[in-house]
Amino acid sequence: MKNILVTGGAGFIGSNFVKLLINKDPGCHIVVLDKLTYAGNLKNLEDVHQKSNFKFYKGNICNSEFVHYIINKEKIDTIINFAAESHVDRSILSSHEFINTNVVGTNVLLEAARNFQLSKFVQISTDEVYGSLGKEGQFSESTPLSPNSPYSSSKASADLLVRAYNHTYEVPTLITRCSNNYGPYQFPEKLIPLMIINALNNKSLPIYGDGMNIRDWIFVEDHCEAILEVATRGKIGEVYNIGANTEKPNIEIVKLILKELGKDESLISYVKDRPGHDRRYAIDSSKIEKELGWKPKHNFENAIQKTIEWYLSNKKWWEEIISGDYQSYYKQWYIER
Ligand code: NAD
Ligand code: TDX
């Protein structure tokens, strides 16, 4: 792994990953390809922009000519694909871009990996491809794919394409499936940043349904370290689940955020549920722990505090976001729905 194409590197997890990689492996050459959709932000990469081993291209992973041009020019040997439409609620409003980027775009990258005989292709997937759990159990790598939202079905489709390219063309692929991330630079449409920002602005905190849906949380830096382990030492053709054994009902997280910010629980507002809302996710990450020796380093209590502090000290970053197109999305999803 020397010349690495990180697609979606201006988003939340991708930008955290680029920063980790540049610190851990200063000898590698990192090339980011990102369309800069509403979720992509060059400010997320400010710390690395001036580094000589970093290069940014604005573009679409669906554009095969451009992808081929970059691979040739930058002598790419590895693709790590973070690029995606990533928000479940937006996929419910309209699925078109989810199919384009998440399915067609992944296919374009796989074709490029095949044609250029790249040495590795890492697909960043999600635990949502497994569907929803009842009260008991956890997702393992052999849990059947059973996605429920347009978002998760587009990600599952991509995973199946990755599997097929490995099986049919022997493209050296790896897939990671991680649980819910939180941390710096997360776009404020997702639960944790949305609740922090609304609380800071004394706006109501919209909880879907009864607030008892459960997600399994991991700090983004732990996820990024796991991806690096998989990319460097994972067994080709394999899938690795990633998680930190931190199941929490949504309401508990929202109450914790209010407490940390010294705000009143009267800000909580129960709103119309997300259609098809998955009840519970929980991920078994024993395979990556046993095979690659990875373990999360952060516990939820400390890392959520670190996250809240980041949003408190980076007001300018999120104020610019929420003053733009975000307003019309917010109105469409939370007020007019
Ligand atoms: P994000 O929405 O913050 O970032 C996505 C990035 O991809 C953005 O920079 C965007 O501009 C870029 N992008 C979108 N379409 C593109 C296209 N056609 N061509 C090039 N770039 C494009 O998402 P995230 O939360 O950082 O998620 C990154 C990846 O991790 C996604 O594949 C997501 O499915 C997966 N994932 C996310 C989570 C989570 O909790 N956020 C958990 C597990 C897996
Ligand atoms: O306003 C809200 N109110 C609310 O109750 C929002 C935005 C969310 N929720 C609930 C829905 C979920 O049960 O909070 C939980 C988390 O919601 P999201 O932050 O939208 O995440 P989720 O739907 O679980 O998906 C996330 O994790 C897996 C990421 O967005 C995906 O990209 C990733 O694959």
Side-chain angles (χ1 to χ4, degrees):
M1 236 179 35
K2 193 164 176 353
N3 299 327
I4 306 161
L5 179 61
V6 179
T7 60
F12 163 49
I13 306 173
S15 63
N16 275 283
F17 180 77
V18 165
K19 285 174 242 183
L20 174 84
L21 185 57
I22 228 160
N23 284 331
K24 285 225 164 173
D25 186 1
C28 70
H29 175 51
I30 304 174
V31 179
V32 166
L33 168 61
D34 196 298
K35 189 180 163 190
L36 297 180
T37 65
Y38 77 93
N41 190 342
L42 280 180
K43 297 214 165 70
N44 300 0
L45 291 167
E46 257 169 11
D47 301 352
V48 294
H49 241 290
Q50 299 309 322
K51 305 244 182 193
S52 57
N53 57 340
F54 175 83
K55 193 143 177 198
F56 180 82
Y57 287 92
K58 180 174 189 284
N60 190 338
I61 59 165
C62 299
N63 181 345
S64 60
E65 264 176 41
F66 195 46
V67 168
H68 291 192
Y69 166 81
I70 295 170
I71 293 176
N72 249 327
K73 177 128 199 299
E74 304 294 340
K75 301 186 174 45
I76 296 298
D77 55 62
T78 300
I79 294 179
I80 308 187
N81 181 27
F82 291 87
E85 287 295 336
S86 69
H87 193 37
V88 174
D89 296 334
R90 289 189 194 244
S91 81
I92 294 167
L93 287 171
S94 169
S95 57
H96 189 71
E97 278 313 306
F98 288 75
I99 304 306
N100 275 344
T101 290
N102 301 2
V103 186
V104 179
T106 302
N107 195 238
V108 166
L109 297 176
L110 284 164
E111 270 295 306
R114 174 189 167 208
N115 289 326
F116 285 86
Q117 298 185 335
L118 299 192
S119 55
K120 228 167 256 184
F121 181 94
V122 185
Q123 174 70 1
I124 308 306
S125 186
T126 166
D127 62 354
E128 297 200 16
V129 297
Y130 297 123
S132 186
L133 291 165
K135 283 196 169 63
E136 304 292 323
Q138 288 186 315
F139 301 127
S140 77
E141 287 82 357
S142 57
T143 301
L145 301 193
S146 192
N148 290 317
S149 71
Y151 162 71
S152 55
S153 56
S154 70
K155 292 295 289 185
S157 307
D159 284 13
L160 294 179
L161 283 168
V162 174
R163 179 189 149 87
Y165 270 70
N166 174 255
H167 188 82
T168 307
Y169 306 114
E170 294 178 4
V171 173
T173 64
L174 292 144
I175 297 176
T176 62
R177 295 193 182 129
C178 189
S179 59
N180 282 61
N181 284 224
Y182 64 99
Y185 299 100
Q186 185 165 33
F187 193 84
E189 65 195 351
K190 307 283 168 36
L191 179 79
I192 290 180
L194 185 140
M195 297 298 169
I196 296 172
I197 290 169
N198 279 18
L200 286 172
N201 286 336
N202 295 311
K203 275 184 73 173
S204 73
L205 273 47
I207 295 194
Y208 302 157
D210 62 1
M212 290 306 289
N213 295 64
I214 291 174
R215 295 294 181 264
D216 192 352
W217 295 92
I218 184 169
F219 190 54
V220 63
E221 288 173 18
D222 285 327
H223 182 194
C224 291
E225 291 206 344
I227 292 168
L228 192 52
E229 287 298 332
V230 171
T232 37
R233 299 195 296 119
K235 197 169 154 218
I236 295 299
E238 295 286 305
V239 174
Y240 291 91
N241 281 353
I242 302 169
N245 273 314
T246 310
E247 283 184 58
K248 306 255 178 227
N250 296 332
I251 185 69
E252 196 181 300
I253 295 200
V254 171
K255 286 186 175 171
L256 176 77
I257 290 170
L258 286 170
K259 191 162 162 243
E260 291 289 332
L261 293 173
K263 300 281 181 173
D264 200 84
E265 287 186 10
S266 59
L267 282 176
I268 292 174
S269 155
Y270 289 88
V271 301
K272 191 171 169 188
D273 207 352
R274 167 188 285 175
H277 196 175
D278 285 340
R279 192 62 174 169
R280 175 173 165 258
Y281 302 147
I283 198 137
D284 172 1
S285 47
S286 53
K287 177 174 169 179
I288 186 173
E289 294 187 14
K290 274 191 212 127
E291 288 185 16
L292 305 181
W294 170 87
K295 263 191 189 324
K297 291 180 181 148
H298 297 84
N299 69 40
F300 185 76
E301 286 65 31
N302 294 336
I304 189 82
Q305 262 185 13
K306 204 167 150 178
T307 303
I308 293 172
E309 278 158 23
W310 188 85
Y311 282 89
L312 281 168
S313 7
N314 288 276
K315 235 175 147 187
K316 198 163 168 275
W317 179 87
W318 55 260
E319 274 180 346
E320 270 174 28
I321 292 172
I322 66 166
S323 63
D325 288 347
Y326 183 80
Q327 289 296 334
S328 51
Y329 161 71
Y330 201 92
K331 190 162 156 251
Q332 191 183 3
W333 181 256
Y334 290 97
I335 298 162
E336 291 166 357
R337 185 167 68 98

